[in-house]
């Protein structure tokens, strides 16, 4: 999964507050998985499953225990270990142990005062004042300061910053546009009141302030003497990064493993575990590694579910993910000078072509057979993990090959030489290059399934360069809008903020299709407007937006998903629900894993 954040979600997408892993921890809030699944179960297209989110193991914690964490991936993690600069979910899995947001979240992904800092929102809802607690220190002993959060915003808005997190609320900070374009040397809307207190003012009130506020500081004393280009290549974020989380980075073998040691000075208290060892493990051997006791915790691919649930030495946790899979169309390019997406690909601009390709896809058996019910047909681009905003009345794009053929014919795509494949409206050969990632046992059959679906309605699609592509290189080429790519299969971790602007906005770098639309601009602006503090109004806006996207189809939503995490039965106090993963509390009940 790409970017994200979030943990997820982290995913893939994630990723700033909107694509990062969990922004914090709210010890006082617990999410009910059965209730969540019941709400999401209103969608007739999904197969309802119930998983616990918290391990059931009990017992006395081993003093100074060590836990083995599996980063399940067929590719090395990139190793850009800073929330401002990372892009892929593998890096976010590393970050979660040693760095964190200043503001905790609850089960609804809303910021709370239970984290390393407290906050107060102004009466007009345009300003937020954050006060860092006194005992919050970087791993080198320096206190975390308000100036460190200012530094994060200075990096995000810097003219040389080319990553995708200049989005959401960040550009809405007063004075940020002038700073970002080089017209100002400071950000006028950010005021450091004292060493621990900072006030940030936005150009407008937005309901995303409680779910999408950027609260990840960056240690100015550690990185502040370098340019952005130097930071990206520096060992200080690749092999010797620091944070203020429960564990310190002790040793990194780039792309392969990370050894963490407890942070004795952690603001919540001394962590229960003495160390955590993270290692990259191939998806094909993940279940075997859990069976052998080589790993204590690992998020498993859905195609491994049947094998994983038979293990007697582990427990499976799960929940509906803040994520979805999709097919994207390469519709344009990113204009770095303008800082916006520019459409311009006549080959794929016909909406009926995209609609035909959507109804040609048969996703239901993919979820049922390839993913054993852990994935189910996606209906919109807001997943049911946002039950207040997901349109449960929306239907999955119906598999209808005959309808696909009709749409193609109406758009002028006809088989003029009787070879079984349509030519374009000008009578020329029509062939699409399809980029898809490696990474699991079903990656190849899934790609071939889609290719066959399209062939069945007369659309000739071939795998890009005849093969699947590794995670990092895949996203490098997709982000660069490689002209050799026509369509691509990917996934987003949405992060904790329902606002989709960071993925589909005109100025969003993560908008990989480069699709733009004035109605889209209008609805995205309404969704974060002052009027959107009225929940019913915001629900109406996002219902209309979901319908627009299902009509225009710059991307085809394919599958929603459950995330499943396998845990060894010696693991104590581990909970994957939103705001409930406290790595300082996680412990083990025995020195040797249960096998």
């Amino acid at each position: 999964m790409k970017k994200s954040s979030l943990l997820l979600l982290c995913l893939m997408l994630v990723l700033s507050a909107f694509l990062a892993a969990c922004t914090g921890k709210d010890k006082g809030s617990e999410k009910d998985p059965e209730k969540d699944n019941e709400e999401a179960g209103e969608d007739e297209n999904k197969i309802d499953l119930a998983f616990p989110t918290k391990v059931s193991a009990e017992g006395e914690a081993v003093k100074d225990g060590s836990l083995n964490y599996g980063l399940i991936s067929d590719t090395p993690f990139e190793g850009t270990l800073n929330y401002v600069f990372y892009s892929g979910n593998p890096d976010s899995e590393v970050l979660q142990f040693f760095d964190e947001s200043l503001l905790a979240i609850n089960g609804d992904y809303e910021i709370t005062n239970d984290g390393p800092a407290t906050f107060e929102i102004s009466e007009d809802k345009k300003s937020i004042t954050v006060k860092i607690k006194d005992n919050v220190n970087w791993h080198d002993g320096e206190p975390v300061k308000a100036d460190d959060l200012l530094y994060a915003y200075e990096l995000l808005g810097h003219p040389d910053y080319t990553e995708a997190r200049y989005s959401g609320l960040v550009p809405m900070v007063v004075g940020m546009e002038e700073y970002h374009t080089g017209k100002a040397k400071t950000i006028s809307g950010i005021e450091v009141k004292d060493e621990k207190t900072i006030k940030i003012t936005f150009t407008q009130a937005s309901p995303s302030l409680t779910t999408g506020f950027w609260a990840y500081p960056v240690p100015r004393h550690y990185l502040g003497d370098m340019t952005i280009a130097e930071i990206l290549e520096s060992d200080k974020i690749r092999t010797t990064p620091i944070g203020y989380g429960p564990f310190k980075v002790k040793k990194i073998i780039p792309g392969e493993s990370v050894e963490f040691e407890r942070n004795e000075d952690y603001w919540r208290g001394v962590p229960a575990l003495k160390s955590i060892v993270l290692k990259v493990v191939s998806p094909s051997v993940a279940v075997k590694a859990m069976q052998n006791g080589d790993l204590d915790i690992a998020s498993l691919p859905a195609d491994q579910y049947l094998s994983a649930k038979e293990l007697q030495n582990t427990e499976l946790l799960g929940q509906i993910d803040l994520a979805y899979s999709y097919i994207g169309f390469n519709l344009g390019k990113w204009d770095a000078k303008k800082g916006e997406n520019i459409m311009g690909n006549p080959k794929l601009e016909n909406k009926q072509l995209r609609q035909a390709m959507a109804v040609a896809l048969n996703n239901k058996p993919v979820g049922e057979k390839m993913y054993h019910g852990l994935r189910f047909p996606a209906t919109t681009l807001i997943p049911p993990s946002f039950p207040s905003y997901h349109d449960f009345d929306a239907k999955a794009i119906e598999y209808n090959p005959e309808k696909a053929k009709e749409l193609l014919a109406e758009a002028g795509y006809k088989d003029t030489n009787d070879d079984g494949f349509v030519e374009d409206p000008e009578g020329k050969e029509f062939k699409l290059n399809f980029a898809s990632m490696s990474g699991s046992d079903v990656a190849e059959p899934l790609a071939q399934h889609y290719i066959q679906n399209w062939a069945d309605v007369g659309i000739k699609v071939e795998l890009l360069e005849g093969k699947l592509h590794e995670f990092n290189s895949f996203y490098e080429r997709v982000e660069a809008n490689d002209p050799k790519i026509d369509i691509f299969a990917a996934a987003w971790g949405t992060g904790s903020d329902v606002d989709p602007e960071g993925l589909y906005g005109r100025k969003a770098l993560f908008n990989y299709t480069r699709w733009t639309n004035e109605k889209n601009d209008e609805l995205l602006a309404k969704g974060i407007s002052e009027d959107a503090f009225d929940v019913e109004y915001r629900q109406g806006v996002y219902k209309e937006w979901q319908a627009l996207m299902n009509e225009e189809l710059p991307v085809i939503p394919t599958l929603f998903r459950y995330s499943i995490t396998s845990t060894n039965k010696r693991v104590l106090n581990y909970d994957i629900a939103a705001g409930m993963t406290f790595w300082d509390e996680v412990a083990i009940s025995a020195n040797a894993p249960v096998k």
Side-chain angles (χ1 to χ4, degrees):
M1 211 167 92
K2 177 77 169 168
K3 321 298 187 191
S4 140
S5 275
L6 253 105
L7 220 343
L8 14 120
L9 111 193
C10 231
L11 211 66
M12 276 133 276
L13 285 28
V14 191
L15 270 215
S16 76
F18 82 87
L19 284 169
C22 291
T23 56
K25 304 171 172 66
D26 177 13
K27 191 173 181 179
S29 173
E30 184 161 358
K31 198 174 182 181
D32 183 346
E34 292 186 3
K35 180 180 178 182
D36 283 354
N37 290 344
E38 180 180 343
E39 291 173 324
E42 296 176 44
D43 187 338
E44 66 181 20
N45 296 292
K46 69 173 286 299
I47 299 171
D48 193 42
L49 300 171
F51 293 96
T53 66
K54 184 178 181 179
V55 295
S56 60
E58 297 179 349
E60 185 176 350
V62 168
K63 185 178 180 181
D64 296 337
S66 180
L67 179 141
N68 295 313
Y69 181 94
L71 197 170
I72 308 304
S73 174
D74 71 333
T75 185
F77 60 87
E78 183 179 349
T80 308
L81 302 177
N82 181 280
Y83 278 112
V84 168
F85 296 106
Y86 91 97
S87 59
N89 184 66
D91 283 352
S92 74
E93 288 197 56
V94 178
L95 278 162
Q96 67 178 319
F97 296 105
F98 76 89
D99 208 3
E100 60 190 40
S101 171
L102 286 171
L103 298 176
I105 60 167
N106 61 22
D108 291 320
Y109 306 101
E110 299 167 329
I111 53 177
T112 76
N113 283 319
D114 298 321
T118 59
F119 73 95
E120 184 177 342
I121 296 175
S122 64
E123 189 173 340
D124 66 4
K125 297 181 173 61
K126 290 184 178 181
S127 298
I128 183 170
T129 300
V130 177
K131 186 174 181 61
I132 303 169
K133 295 174 181 177
D134 290 334
N135 60 334
V136 181
N137 299 310
W138 296 106
H139 291 152
D140 60 2
E142 286 290 316
V144 178
K145 301 176 182 178
D147 185 58
D148 294 323
L149 186 56
L150 168 61
Y151 181 47
Y153 278 86
E154 289 174 346
L155 291 172
L156 290 165
H158 196 280
D160 293 339
Y161 182 77
T162 59
E163 305 304 312
R165 289 180 178 79
Y166 184 74
S167 60
L169 291 177
V170 175
M172 294 168 59
V173 174
V174 170
M176 182 62 84
E177 183 178 353
E178 292 81 358
Y179 176 76
H180 185 62
T181 56
K183 296 177 182 178
K185 293 184 178 180
T186 60
I187 306 168
S188 60
I190 302 181
E191 178 186 359
V192 174
K193 290 182 165 294
D194 58 45
E195 188 175 84
K196 292 288 185 177
T197 311
I198 186 171
K199 180 181 179 181
I200 301 177
T201 302
F202 299 88
T203 55
Q204 67 179 63
S206 170
S208 287
L209 188 57
T210 61
T211 54
F213 174 69
W214 181 275
Y216 292 93
V218 177
R220 190 189 293 272
H221 72 280
Y222 195 62
L223 299 175
D225 61 346
M226 292 185 285
T227 66
I228 284 180
E230 289 170 339
I231 291 173
L232 283 167
E233 299 301 322
S234 173
D235 286 345
K236 288 186 175 182
I237 69 167
R238 294 192 171 272
T239 57
T240 59
I242 65 170
Y244 58 96
F247 291 88
K248 301 179 181 181
V249 173
K250 182 178 180 180
K251 180 182 179 182
I252 292 180
I253 299 177
E256 296 182 14
S257 66
V258 184
E259 184 179 350
F260 300 94
E261 60 184 353
R262 76 159 55 112
N263 175 15
E264 302 276 354
D265 192 34
Y266 185 49
W267 66 274
R268 274 172 46 92
V270 178
L273 292 167
K274 183 178 181 179
S275 63
I276 293 175
V277 177
L278 175 148
K279 45 193 169 184
V280 175
V281 176
S282 170
S284 63
V285 298
V287 172
K288 190 67 175 178
M290 292 300 303
Q291 181 181 20
N292 293 341
D294 297 332
L295 300 176
D296 290 298
I297 298 175
S299 295
L300 297 182
D303 57 294
Q304 302 288 318
Y305 171 61
L306 293 183
S307 299
K309 75 174 186 176
E310 298 301 320
L311 299 185
Q312 300 300 306
N313 64 325
T314 65
E315 181 175 18
L316 287 179
L317 311 179
Q319 59 186 343
I320 294 180
D321 217 345
L322 286 167
Y324 56 85
S325 303
Y326 69 94
I327 302 293
F329 295 88
N330 190 356
L331 298 172
K333 294 183 179 181
W334 172 255
D335 189 321
K337 288 185 178 181
K338 292 183 178 180
E340 64 180 55
N341 296 293
I342 305 295
M343 288 184 66
N345 184 0
K347 186 175 183 179
L348 296 168
E349 67 183 10
N350 190 307
K351 181 171 65 176
Q352 285 184 304
L353 169 65
R354 301 196 298 270
Q355 292 172 338
M357 294 185 70
V359 298
L361 295 181
N362 191 5
N363 278 303
K364 191 172 183 181
V366 171
E368 292 175 349
K369 297 177 181 179
M370 292 188 185
Y371 293 108
H372 315 300
L374 292 175
R375 295 193 182 182
F376 49 99
T379 54
T380 80
L381 295 178
I382 294 180
S385 38
F386 291 109
S388 294
Y389 297 102
H390 171 70
D391 184 0
F392 286 100
D393 293 327
K395 304 296 182 183
I397 297 170
E398 183 182 2
Y399 170 57
N400 190 334
E402 293 308 312
K403 178 65 174 178
K405 293 175 183 178
E406 291 175 10
L407 287 165
L408 288 170
E410 290 173 9
Y413 293 85
K414 299 177 181 179
D415 182 5
T416 60
N417 60 7
D418 296 324
D419 66 349
F421 295 106
V422 299
E423 278 67 51
D424 70 16
E426 296 180 356
K428 297 178 181 178
E429 180 188 19
F430 186 72
K431 183 184 73 171
L432 298 176
N433 287 324
F434 178 36
S436 191
M437 280 180 286
S438 58
S440 73
D441 291 344
V442 302
E444 179 75 28
L446 177 59
Q448 294 300 335
H449 172 76
Y450 287 153
I451 289 172
Q452 185 60 53
N453 284 168
W454 289 317
D456 289 342
V457 300
I459 302 173
K460 188 175 185 178
V461 178
E462 296 179 354
L463 272 180
L464 176 68
E465 296 158 358
K467 63 181 181 180
L468 300 177
H469 291 264
E470 177 268 337
F471 178 93
N472 293 314
S473 62
F474 170 88
Y475 275 109
E476 285 176 5
R477 296 178 69 173
V478 167
E479 185 172 336
N481 297 103
D482 186 331
K484 293 181 180 178
I485 297 174
D486 295 310
I487 54 177
F488 57 93
W492 278 126
T494 64
S496 58
D497 187 4
V498 69
D499 173 25
E501 185 276 336
L503 299 180
Y504 298 104
R506 186 177 294 269
K507 294 183 178 294
L509 183 57
F510 280 145
N511 181 356
Y512 288 152
T513 68
R514 311 306 174 199
W515 176 79
T516 58
N517 175 282
E518 290 185 2
K519 185 64 175 179
N520 181 55
D521 298 340
E522 175 191 332
L523 292 174
L524 292 179
K526 286 182 176 180
I528 58 171
S529 67
E530 191 167 353
D531 290 337
F533 281 98
D534 181 325
V535 173
E536 288 188 6
Y537 173 87
R538 201 181 198 199
Q539 288 172 333
V541 168
Y542 286 143
K543 184 173 184 177
E544 188 176 353
W545 181 81
Q546 290 169 83
L548 173 70
M549 298 301 279
N550 280 359
E551 168 71 17
E552 294 291 335
L553 291 173
V555 305
I556 304 170
T558 54
L559 296 165
F560 292 141
R561 63 181 64 189
Y562 284 89
S563 62
I564 55 169
T565 301
S566 181
T567 60
N568 190 275
K569 288 186 175 179
R570 70 168 178 163
V571 176
L572 305 173
N573 310 325
Y574 180 60
D575 192 337
I576 63 172
M580 296 302 296
T581 305
F582 299 95
W583 283 110
D584 60 304
E585 293 183 356
V586 175
I588 53 175
S589 60
N591 282 315
V594 179
K595 297 186 178 182

